[in-house]
Amino acid sequence: MEPAGQEPRPPDFLQNTALIYGFTEAQAAEAIEVLGDDASAEALLDWLRTFYGSRGS
């Protein structure tokens, strides 16, 4: 459920966020699988940076 006053985010929001920050689709998919579709962008990027560094490689 979205907080009052905010529109629902697109279904590919987390994947697109990861791609913008230089991670691959596979890395994004792994993080989303672990964190869940309702994870925040910050949590996703923190997870990716922990396992793959500042950019995917």
Side-chain angles (χ1 to χ4, degrees), residues 28-42:
E30 180 182 9
I32 294 165
E33 183 177 329
V34 170
L35 298 173
D37 291 338
D38 59 346
S40 69
E42 293 83 10

Side-chain angles (χ1 to χ4, degrees), residues 13-24 27-28 31-32 35 39-56:
F13 173 77
L14 290 176
Q15 182 174 5
N16 287 341
T17 299
L19 294 174
I20 289 168
Y21 281 86
F23 296 96
T24 68
Q27 291 168 332
I32 294 165
L35 298 173
S40 69
E42 293 83 10
L44 175 81
L45 292 173
D46 286 346
W47 191 95
L48 287 166
R49 288 174 179 144
T50 297
F51 288 95
Y52 297 109
S54 63
R55 293 211 177 240

